[in-house]
Amino acid sequence: MSSKNLKPIGGLCCAVANCEQHSGNAIQDGYNVSFHRFPEDLQLQQIWAQKCNRSDEWNPQTSSICSMHFTSHSFVHDLRAELKRYIPSFRILKENSVPTLNLPTDSEVSKSSTKCKGGKYAETAKLICDVIRKFPSSDSSAPLYLLSQATPSNSMCNIDTVLHRDMSYTTDYKKLYKDLLKQCHILKTENQKLLEKTKKKNMPESWSRDEVAKSFGLIYYSKRAYMYVRDELHYPLPGLLSFQRWAKTIDMSDGLISDVLKIMKLNSDNIEDHEKLTVLMFDEVKVCRREYDEPNDKIVGPHSKMLVVMAQGIASKWKQPIYVDFDVKMSKIILFDIIDELEKIGYKVICCVTNCDDANVKLWNQLEITYENPTFCIPNGRRIVYIPDSHHLLKLARNWLLDTGFYLNGAEINKIPLEALITKISSEVSPCHKLKREHLKCEVPLQQNIKLAKQLLSYSTATALQHYRPIEDFELLNNTAEFIKQINNWFDLANVSLTNDNSTPFKSPYGTFLYQQDKLLNEMYNTIIFMRCMGKNSLQIFQKGFLMHINGTKQILHILKENGLNYLLTSKINKDALQNLFDQIYSGENFPSPLNALSRLRMIFLGKYPGIASNKSNTRDNNHEEFIVAQSLKLANISLDDEYDVVDEDSEGSYTDTTSEDEFQIRNEDKNKNEMEVEAVEYLAGWLALKYKSTIPEIGYKSKNLTHQKFTMPSWINHLSYSKLIIPSDDLKKIILRVERLFNKFTKYQVLKGSNVVAKLTNKIFSRMSVEKKFKPVIQTYIKQRIIIRMKYLNYHIRLLKQKNKSKN
């Protein structure tokens, strides 16, 4: 039997003997009856007819049975009706359903067909009158048989009397039904107005923060359900503007941010257990000044530092600041309280990440952490891994290398080869054009620059040392180069953010090439533990940090495997996300005030302060997580206004800047430098070959697979494919070298001014060359990149000249 044959229809009466239900009953408040045709299946139709127990003549094929004779299990479940707790007027019977409830016995009198047809309007009219008795009518246009009431009692008496008279002497029951239905509609309208007045009277003038926070849970799960409960069921609930005000004024003083934890609890109900595995990172940001907090009428400060704790998912894309306080050092008590509060709302902390400064070393001692076992135990008995930040470790290694140098197995490692290399590659175009003398300075402002540290301790720098041999002491040069390679490989492995980068095992997620990765970590461990800083007889703090990081990384992978995960994205266990947050808080201001810092922090995790420090940030957050609060507001469809939006107008290093000084005429007379410039142009040609190989296949070719070469490069050009470049073809090298000569000729070693510089220069150079047209986009890309390199080169030397003139004055 098809279910479509069991759909309810209106305007009918029930075929069961002595059942007085008909479609008119549906207007009675709270009385919901549906009617269902007899099935087409003859055998089942006969069973239904027997259940009706009718003795008169009737046709089952044109009859219906009401829902009062079926159990709730006979109907198809209506999820929406169940959630909103109402009985739907439209219901569908399951196949093979049979009426079993409220059926007549043999002793009961059978129904006549005339009673159903002739009496339904009169019966419905009587039911309506029963409802109308409860509500006095104020409509002067009511029918004659509904007299205007003097008192409620008189009204009900008049209704009964007139109704009895009309029903006794009048046969137009249909008109009576329509008139009463109209009167019922009028009464319902008046009742709705009374409900709205009651709703306004019960609605508070202002909502407390706790009431708004509790109400946010409902709107987070379903805005439609929230609006239904508020507008249809008339529950007193805050409006959308209340949620906007609440979000903008989230209280972030004195420790844990309770409103944020409530939102995180809502989020935790919708994600898997492995997505709740959490990394805690904490650090301090400098603030200054004393301020008057007008809304709270109090003096804030003076403060010098603001402690911020951020939680981040180690296996999912979320992050959230959860703790803020001023002039407070992280302690064992504070840390345990934060971990406990997170576990109460479903988030399991498995790792903590910090710097290696003195305050955190004291915390290591409180937690009884050693580099052999970098874990600590919380009160419930679970152990948590403590990881020093890899970026901070890299900067410390760079600083100690430049300050003192190292002894390793009786051999020296120091900065002398680096100084010689930077002196040798001081021309405009060079294989290591990023290296400048400022990379060797170890002054306080530059010590915190992670970009300079990564460029100095890079695989390119190590390869350039071994390839160009800027000093005669080959042992010192080779030891320094190998140490830098090892540091670079470790740093690559400690900052993996992509799951599909398989250029080397050290840029792949930890656990995917476990044999090679553990081999590197073990070699790095032995190097650090046997290495000594010159003038020191014991391990320094940064060395212990390296050892803690290596041991801790292995333990975290073990924890992830226990939770069903196969690898670790190691960028999740560094402080990039927190450092990027601090860079946005600074936003061009060296030391923000306490209230300004809190306001910026609030707007950042509300999603109203995005990407401010993208060009200035000391670190880059490559994981692209979204703040939980911003994500939750978005899911709840609560949009904040734009009054807090900030545009970063200062973009250092913009490609539209031009040099205004004309005193730089660079001529390369040194043969060695010319050779290096040729190889640097070759390097750019390899980059172009990778970019355009899909459209011009003959433009270049891949080198041999480096995984079988132990990552040692016989020449500079072969080193290119270690960085995922392609060795350019001989034809491409000839084209690019010709372009380079014409570029220098036409630009006269300056940056051209005006509009469409790249296009004009490309057309001019291309017209002087006999090459196929398909190479024109390649030439244009090369010219654009050369203009960028030249701008940086000239701007750098302008700064040096200004510093030199300033020192003379």
Side-chain angles (χ1 to χ4, degrees), residues 321-512:
I322 58 173
Y323 180 99
V324 181
D325 210 347
F326 292 99
D327 294 337
V328 174
K329 299 291 184 182
M330 178 58 72
S331 65
K332 179 178 178 180
I333 296 175
I334 295 175
L335 183 59
F336 281 13
D337 286 343
I338 294 173
I339 294 173
D340 181 61
E341 290 296 327
L342 285 174
E343 297 214 348
K344 286 180 181 178
I345 60 175
Y347 293 87
K348 182 179 179 181
V349 178
I350 65 172
C351 176
C352 294
V353 182
T354 64
N355 291 341
C356 298
D357 54 22
D358 293 338
N360 288 315
V361 172
K362 292 180 181 178
L363 182 61
W364 297 357
N365 296 331
Q366 293 180 26
L367 298 173
E368 299 179 356
I369 289 173
T370 63
Y371 65 81
E372 295 97 341
N373 184 22
T375 63
F376 63 92
C377 188
I378 57 177
N380 65 8
R382 193 166 59 82
R383 301 199 70 83
I384 295 176
V385 183
Y386 196 108
I387 297 283
D389 179 46
S390 59
H391 291 79
H392 192 236
L393 293 175
L394 184 71
K395 289 185 289 185
L396 291 176
R398 183 272 315 271
N399 296 344
W400 279 93
L401 174 63
L402 298 180
D403 283 347
T404 67
F406 308 120
Y407 281 116
L408 179 60
N409 299 325
E412 287 190 29
I413 299 171
N414 56 41
K415 65 179 180 180
I416 294 176
L418 295 171
E419 291 176 332
L421 177 65
I422 290 177
T423 302
K424 193 171 185 177
I425 61 173
S426 58
S427 61
E428 176 186 345
V429 183
S430 65
C432 297
H433 63 275
K434 294 181 180 179
L435 291 183
K436 301 291 184 291
R437 294 191 180 276
E438 63 188 21
H439 286 80
L440 299 180
K441 294 180 181 179
C442 210
E443 300 172 356
V444 174
L446 299 179
Q447 286 181 354
Q448 302 305 318
N449 193 314
I450 184 61
K451 185 177 180 180
L452 295 179
K454 288 194 291 186
Q455 290 173 346
L456 183 67
L457 302 180
S458 67
Y459 203 94
S460 298
T461 300
T463 306
L465 286 174
Q466 293 178 325
H467 184 64
Y468 294 114
R469 300 185 180 183
I471 62 173
E472 296 181 357
D473 188 344
F474 178 74
E475 183 180 2
L476 173 60
L477 185 147
N478 190 62
N479 290 338
T480 304
E482 290 299 325
F483 175 76
I484 292 175
K485 281 185 182 180
Q486 194 174 60
I487 287 286
N488 174 80
N489 290 337
W490 166 83
F491 188 76
D492 284 346
L493 183 57
N495 290 275
V496 177
S497 59
L498 301 176
T499 59
N500 57 353
D501 187 348
N502 297 322
S503 56
T504 78
F506 312 138
K507 291 187 177 181
S508 301
Y510 179 53
T512 54

Side-chain angles (χ1 to χ4, degrees), residues 17 33 72 79 110 118 173 212 218 256 265 384 401 468 471 505 563 585 615 654 656 688 790 792:
V33 179
S72 59
L79 184 59
S110 299
Y173 296 118
V212 177
L218 179 57
L256 280 164
K265 174 64 172 67
I384 295 176
L401 174 63
Y468 294 114
I471 62 173
N563 287 271
I585 291 175
N615 291 328
S654 172
T656 59
L688 291 169
R790 174 159 292 168
K792 292 183 177 180

Side-chain angles (χ1 to χ4, degrees), residues 585-587 589 592 596-604 609:
I585 291 175
Y586 280 127
S587 185
E589 183 180 345
N596 197 2
L598 287 178
S599 176
R600 290 180 181 179
L601 178 61
R602 182 188 297 110
M603 288 302 105
I604 288 169
Y609 214 57

Side-chain angles (χ1 to χ4, degrees), residues 45 95 119-120 134 176 192 304 327 352 366 370 400 441 457 496 529 538 567 619 641 680 708 742 759 765 790:
Q45 187 182 108
E95 293 187 5
K120 67 174 182 177
K134 304 175 184 178
L176 174 64
Q192 181 69 24
S304 60
D327 294 337
C352 294
Q366 293 180 26
T370 63
W400 279 93
K441 294 180 181 179
L457 302 180
V496 177
I529 201 169
S538 59
Y567 59 81
T619 59
D641 55 45
H708 303 296
L742 292 173
I765 291 176
R790 174 159 292 168

